[in-house]
Amino acid sequence: MSTSVEKKAELSPEVVRFLNTSVHRSYVGGRWVEAADGETFDVVDPGSGKKIATVTSLKKADVDKAVDAAADAFKNSGWATMPIPERCAILHRIADAVEKQIHNFAQIESLDCGKIYAQAVADIQNFVDTFRYFADLAQAFNYRSVIAVKHHEAWVARHPWGPCGFIIPWNFPFLLAGWGLAPALAAGNTCVLKPAEDTPLSALYLCHVLQEQELLPSGVLNVVTGFGETAGAALSSNPKFRRMSFTGSPEVGRLVAESCGRNLVPVKCELGGKGAAVIFEDVDIAATAEKLVQAITFHSGQVCCDATRWLVHRDIYSDFVDECITRMKSVQIGYPMDPGSQMGPLVNAKQVSRVLGYLKKGVAEGADLILEGGAATVPGKSGFYVKPALLAGSLNNVAAREEIFGPVAFIAPFSSEDEGLQLANDTEYGLGNSVWSQDLARCARVAENFRSGNGWINAHNVIVHGVPYGGIGKSGMGGGVVSPDTLNDYLRPISVVRPL
């Protein structure tokens, strides 16, 4: 395991000016607003441990005004009734504006959530691609479907629902904002977005860009900042929403779903995961180990659909373990803006405590800590760094069953295809699993029988625009993302029937 030597990260003048804002206010109804009580909170760079911004902390009354602004914009701004090609042209202009400033957005995202800069660039590009995908899809979508039934003329018409709420987490702040906002806006809805308190800056910078270029009518997009227990709770309990989307932990997802249920507001929950990689004896050991180590160290393992349970055929188990340990030890840990860094920090001190705590609990329950992991140091930085870790043993172990959300994998052997599939499916989660083999018929057979929303072959975390992506069980409910099904989620159907 090595840590990189600090290199000076040069921020663009635009980013410097943005970060030098004394207090970053929320964006409501086309205006920048502070909390009624004046409260704020600080945002910290996870890589350095230093404050980078102060942000307003909204409460229920403040959030309710944002929902009112979205509801008013849905009725009066013309966004919902705008001709679809015009609305989609605006989405394309938003994508163009973000892409033009991709490096500014990426610098803000890297500083805010501790993501390796190159990975942050990819996230911003994903936002751009998502907006373009739904802008194009919305123009080709069938908003009036005729139904052939005897003795009646019948069809289904589809319209935007109204104001939609979004609560997004800190691991992919801008990418996930795009996954939610793009289909909702393309369908003609208005939006209120609450970013995580750890990572609000890229969403606020987006509002600056939209305001400067006058790309959206006032109130169509509102961004409210604050804590989950105040601003987030106010958002999920507001009865004026017509759709709600939450991405985060199953524990908070239950609270959001319960709150929405009281108001009969449909809610989409994209939650956690404990994905498995089922690795058969005919794989290229070095190549497969490299891909899985890259996956578990990508964004320091803070990825819900990651493969955190590595199930390896007994014939290659020992060699595979050795290869993984060698590669995990060589991962370069460093400051996210350092070009030489391969893995950055966790998002905050709480997450460090969580990851290290699971290592202790796993060992206490009998797991073998075959790669120790633990806290890491980066010269000149006081950020939240940990080393990759690898546990082995019974899959009944707490570290093999619960989501850790860090660069920690749990490895175990299996002997047959049936056993490998059974072990992969033995979890309360159900987001994404992968199967690795040169036998593509076996791969297809296993992938189709995963008890999860997604099954990947000889790769992991394969999320493609146009292919439904979602989870089951503790991993989610209420629909998926990045596909035609998603756009349909944000359109209200009405059946029209005339007897003949």
Side-chain angles (χ1 to χ4, degrees):
M1 201 79 52
S2 57
T3 54
S4 65
V5 177
E6 178 186 0
K7 297 180 181 178
K8 185 176 177 61
E10 295 293 342
L11 299 179
S12 72
E14 294 85 358
V15 171
V16 171
R17 284 196 295 271
F18 174 72
L19 293 177
N20 283 339
T21 303
S22 57
V23 175
H24 293 265
R25 294 172 290 173
S26 291
Y27 190 66
V28 175
R31 300 184 300 109
W32 296 100
V33 302
E34 297 183 4
D37 61 8
E39 287 195 15
T40 62
F41 61 93
D42 291 338
V43 176
V44 173
D45 170 8
S48 68
K50 296 179 180 178
K51 169 188 165 182
I52 53 173
T54 299
V55 179
T56 192
S57 182
L58 300 191
K59 307 300 188 302
K60 185 181 187 305
D62 308 307
V63 172
D64 287 347
K65 291 179 180 178
V67 182
D68 289 344
D72 180 72
F74 182 75
K75 293 179 180 178
N76 301 314
S77 72
W79 180 254
T81 55
M82 186 180 295
I84 293 169
E86 291 184 24
R87 192 162 64 224
C88 292
I90 293 174
L91 296 190
H92 271 292
R93 288 199 288 273
I94 292 173
D96 293 343
V98 172
E99 190 171 48
K100 187 175 181 180
Q101 295 202 44
I102 190 168
H103 293 291
N104 291 338
F105 277 99
Q107 287 180 357
I108 292 168
E109 195 81 333
S110 180
L111 288 172
D112 205 12
C113 69
K115 184 163 292 189
I116 296 297
Y117 176 72
Q119 297 171 7
V121 172
D123 284 5
I124 309 306
Q125 187 62 55
N126 189 288
F127 176 100
V128 170
D129 295 343
T130 300
F131 263 70
R132 288 175 177 158
Y133 169 75
F134 281 109
D136 292 340
L137 180 64
Q139 294 181 80
F141 208 74
N142 186 4
Y143 295 88
R144 187 178 185 276
S145 304
V146 175
I147 305 172
V149 292
K150 289 183 178 180
H151 310 305
H152 295 82
E153 180 184 23
W155 67 93
V156 174
R158 294 174 176 84
H159 307 281
W161 281 92
C164 301
F166 299 88
I167 301 174
I168 58 174
W170 44 259
N171 57 336
F172 290 85
F174 203 62
L175 179 151
L176 292 174
W179 284 11
L181 296 177
L185 292 172
N189 300 284
T190 55
C191 302
V192 181
L193 173 74
K194 186 215 166 290
E197 55 265 30
D198 287 294
T199 56
L201 298 182
S202 56
L204 294 175
Y205 191 69
L206 172 66
C207 294
H208 280 282
V209 172
L210 298 181
Q211 186 183 51
E212 287 174 359
Q213 301 191 26
E214 298 181 346
L215 288 173
L216 284 175
S218 296
V220 170
L221 173 60
N222 308 272
V223 173
V224 295
T225 56
F227 292 92
E229 58 268 27
T230 50
L235 210 63
S236 65
S237 65
N238 193 296
K240 294 185 180 180
F241 280 123
R242 294 297 172 260
R243 307 289 292 182
M244 174 64 64
S245 174
F246 169 81
T247 306
S249 70
E251 294 76 18
V252 179
R254 288 190 180 98
L255 297 176
V256 172
E258 180 182 354
S259 186
C260 290
R262 292 194 186 100
N263 295 319
L264 300 179
V265 174
V267 59
K268 181 200 302 283
C269 288
E270 300 290 334
L271 308 176
K274 196 67 179 177
V278 182
I279 303 145
F280 285 94
E281 71 281 1
D282 60 347
V283 299
D284 181 321
I285 291 176
T288 305
E290 179 182 12
K291 290 178 181 178
L292 287 174
V293 170
Q294 287 176 347
I296 198 64
T297 57
F298 178 80
H299 197 25
S300 304
Q302 299 169 122
V303 183
C304 58
C305 54
D306 223 339
T308 56
R309 293 178 296 141
W310 298 350
L311 312 177
V312 185
H313 196 279
R314 288 186 185 277
D315 289 353
I316 62 168
Y317 180 79
S318 180
D319 290 340
F320 194 84
V321 168
D322 291 343
E323 187 70 30
C324 290
I325 289 174
T326 298
R327 292 182 180 276
M328 292 173 86
K329 284 182 176 179
S330 69
V331 173
Q332 184 94 344
I333 302 170
Y335 188 64
M337 298 288 284
D338 178 348
S341 299
Q342 295 174 312
M343 191 177 89
L346 299 179
V347 71
N348 54 33
K350 179 181 178 181
Q351 197 63 20
V352 172
S353 178
R354 176 186 176 90
V355 171
L356 300 185
Y358 267 105
L359 292 178
K360 291 181 180 178
K361 287 189 288 186
V363 171
E365 289 194 6
D368 295 324
L369 190 56
I370 57 179
L371 182 63
E372 185 175 358
T377 58
V378 172
K381 300 296 181 183
S382 299
F384 311 117
Y385 298 93
V386 299
K387 303 172 186 176
L390 188 59
L391 293 156
S394 168
L395 292 176
N396 289 323
N397 189 282
V398 63
R401 303 199 70 82
E402 297 184 9
E403 186 176 40
I404 298 175
F405 227 56
V408 180
F410 203 106
I411 195 164
F414 70 90
S415 299
S416 67
E417 180 179 317
D418 287 345
E419 184 187 12
L421 184 60
Q422 184 272 325
L423 292 174
N425 288 339
D426 186 17
T427 176
E428 293 181 313
Y429 293 94
L431 189 49
N433 297 326
S434 57
V435 54
W436 304 74
S437 173
Q438 295 182 40
D439 184 341
L440 295 184
R442 175 165 62 183
C443 286
R445 190 167 57 244
V446 171
E448 288 183 5
N449 284 283
F450 282 140
R451 195 155 53 244
S452 63
N454 306 278
W456 298 306
I457 294 174
N458 292 329
H460 204 90
N461 296 343
V462 187
I463 302 170
V464 183
H465 289 99
V467 179
Y469 169 84
I472 63 173
K474 284 179 67 176
S475 290
M477 67 173 196
V481 294
V482 301
S483 75
D485 292 346
T486 318
L487 181 61
N488 201 46
D489 282 343
Y490 290 101
L491 290 166
R492 173 180 58 82
I494 178 170
S495 298
V496 180
V497 183
R498 179 177 73 90
L500 297 178

